Amino acid sequence: FFQKTLTAVKNWFTLFGWSKGQNPISIPYSLRRDVCKVQMTSSQEKVFKQNFGKDTKTVYDMLFHLSGQLLPGITSSQSLPLDPVERMLQLHWQHSTLLAFLKSQGAYLPHVMPEFLLEPDDYKKWIKVQTVLKVGDVKNSDMFSDKHLFILEDSIFETMSKRAWTDVLLQVYKVFVLPRVSSRKITDLFSLESMQNMPRIKSEPLSSNIYSPYERTILTWLNKHYEKNRKTVWKDCQKGEVPPMRWIVNFDRDLLDGLVLAAQLAAYCPYLIATHFVRMYTNPRTPEQFLHNCLILVNAMHAVSLAIDIKV
């Protein structure tokens, strides 16, 4: 499940996270590497300067594109010190600033420490500095506090870093992309007579500890189009009867059989009904039938050239 989530996050931010088109990313490797347009790179015993040029896109460029804001104290052409320890400390400060900025916008990242966003070599330098400070009982600032010091093995750090960067991107999506979902017409979504007896999904901020108001708006939209279109899409279905009414309350189990998403796509591309959706199982029970439906849905998306790299 985590790997599928990571792949979905990587694909979305590659396609839509940047200005001027696509920018392939890898989590966490390119995000950790491309933190500055001018970056210092260690090569065994000597340190040298590597200039990535104007076309290098950093996580700060991504945030500026999605939020319209620059992080406090960080410029679009940030450079790093030549000294490896000073470089690591500045990166740690930049990551701390990034996390503080996201939290101020409503992101939930209490489990992500700035050091988890560092490169492995810089993380080791961070641990070494913290250990020396602990032994010497030096308390210069919050940056040097050993209160939350986690000493991780290499393989565990890589896993933690991958998870941390994935969660950062998910929270970026939550606070800067999902709020663009309009709720101005949410009162009209249940205007159909057939939906009057259907339970409502509350949009109040505190009505769910799982989904945000914007996510619940999307669930309402899914319910509306499924109920409106299920009888139209599958009135001539080849593999069953018209699917029954359902209440869609989550983004995993309720979407597994492909029917809900097919109903959404049919609402905007009704010509796909005769060519694709009539061949779906309307009451799938076996893994093969679920796969059959999902393959048809993916083929329908490819038929209308949806720019999303979806694989089954």
Side-chain angles (χ1 to χ4, degrees):
F1 173 79
F2 175 68
Q3 185 61 45
K4 290 180 179 179
T5 302
L6 185 148
T7 300
V9 170
K10 181 183 70 174
N11 289 343
W12 192 92
F13 279 91
T14 291
L15 293 169
F16 309 116
W18 313 87
S19 61
K20 300 180 181 179
Q22 302 179 16
N23 180 50
I25 66 169
S26 58
I27 303 174
Y29 310 108
S30 68
L31 297 174
R32 295 188 311 204
R33 182 186 67 240
D34 300 338
V35 287
C36 291
K37 294 182 185 296
V38 179
Q39 178 173 346
M40 307 304 173
T41 306
S42 298
S43 177
Q44 295 180 350
E45 297 180 355
K46 59 182 179 180
V47 179
F48 62 92
K49 185 175 182 179
Q50 181 178 0
N51 191 338
F52 285 94
K54 295 181 179 180
D55 294 332
T56 301
K57 296 182 180 180
T58 70
V59 66
Y60 311 119
D61 295 315
M62 178 193 72
L63 285 174
F64 182 73
H65 172 63
L66 295 176
S67 70
Q69 303 179 62
L70 288 173
L71 270 63
I74 299 178
T75 65
S76 59
S77 57
Q78 192 78 20
S79 61
L80 293 172
L82 183 64
D83 180 77
V85 175
E86 291 182 4
R87 171 183 177 275
M88 175 272 295
L89 292 177
Q90 179 169 322
L91 281 174
H92 190 276
W93 173 81
Q94 289 181 196
H95 293 328
S96 299
T97 303
L98 168 65
L99 294 174
F101 171 73
L102 293 177
K103 291 175 183 177
S104 72
Q105 301 297 314
Y108 187 73
L109 294 164
H111 59 294
V112 177
M113 302 293 141
E115 52 267 32
F116 296 160
L117 305 179
L118 293 170
E119 290 271 17
D121 288 344
D122 287 331
Y123 172 73
K124 292 176 182 178
K125 293 186 183 75
W126 168 257
I127 293 299
K128 184 176 180 180
V129 168
Q130 294 301 300
T131 303
V132 170
L133 291 173
K134 181 178 180 181
V135 171
D137 195 28
V138 177
K139 305 292 183 181
N140 291 327
S141 67
D142 290 339
M143 177 180 290
F144 298 107
S145 171
D146 61 314
K147 181 179 179 180
H148 298 296
L149 183 61
F150 295 95
I151 302 178
L152 307 176
E153 297 179 358
D154 292 350
S155 60
I156 297 177
F157 171 77
E158 282 294 346
T159 300
M160 184 68 76
S161 182
K162 184 180 294 186
R163 178 62 183 267
W165 275 108
T166 301
D167 289 345
V168 165
L169 293 182
L170 284 170
Q171 292 299 308
V172 167
Y173 184 88
K174 185 186 81 172
V175 299
F176 295 129
V177 180
L178 274 184
R180 300 174 190 172
V181 177
S182 173
S183 59
R184 286 176 296 178
K185 297 182 179 180
I186 192 170
T187 55
D188 299 328
L189 293 179
F190 284 96
S191 58
L192 294 175
E193 181 178 353
S194 60
M195 301 181 70
Q196 293 304 310
N197 296 325
M198 198 169 184
R200 301 293 191 269
I201 294 177
K202 296 180 180 180
S203 59
E204 290 80 4
L206 299 180
S207 63
S208 173
N209 63 350
I210 299 176
Y211 294 130
S212 69
Y214 314 107
E215 290 170 309
R216 296 198 295 278
T217 298
I218 294 175
L219 286 174
T220 300
W221 172 72
L222 291 172
N223 277 284
K224 179 246 185 180
H225 279 304
Y226 175 77
E227 182 55 31
K228 180 181 178 180
N229 295 317
R230 64 185 177 88
K231 295 181 181 178
T232 302
V233 175
W234 291 287
K235 65 179 181 180
D236 299 320
C237 60
Q238 302 171 3
K239 298 182 181 295
E241 301 176 349
V242 172
M245 177 186 290
R246 66 168 74 173
W247 191 28
I248 303 153
V249 296
N250 58 64
F251 293 102
D252 42 25
R253 295 187 63 180
D254 288 339
L255 305 184
L256 280 177
D257 59 13
L259 296 175
V260 174
L261 293 178
Q264 314 311 307
L265 195 53
Y268 301 96
C269 306
Y271 50 85
L272 292 173
I273 296 174
T275 59
H276 293 76
F277 300 143
V278 294
R279 296 183 285 112
M280 298 177 75
Y281 288 96
T282 55
N283 188 26
R285 303 219 178 249
T286 66
E288 291 77 16
Q289 292 175 345
F290 276 73
L291 176 61
H292 173 89
N293 281 1
C294 291
L295 286 172
I296 289 178
L297 180 62
V298 171
N299 289 336
M301 290 182 174
H302 290 165
V304 295
S305 300
L306 279 179
I308 303 175
D309 183 21
I310 297 180
K311 297 183 176 68
V312 177

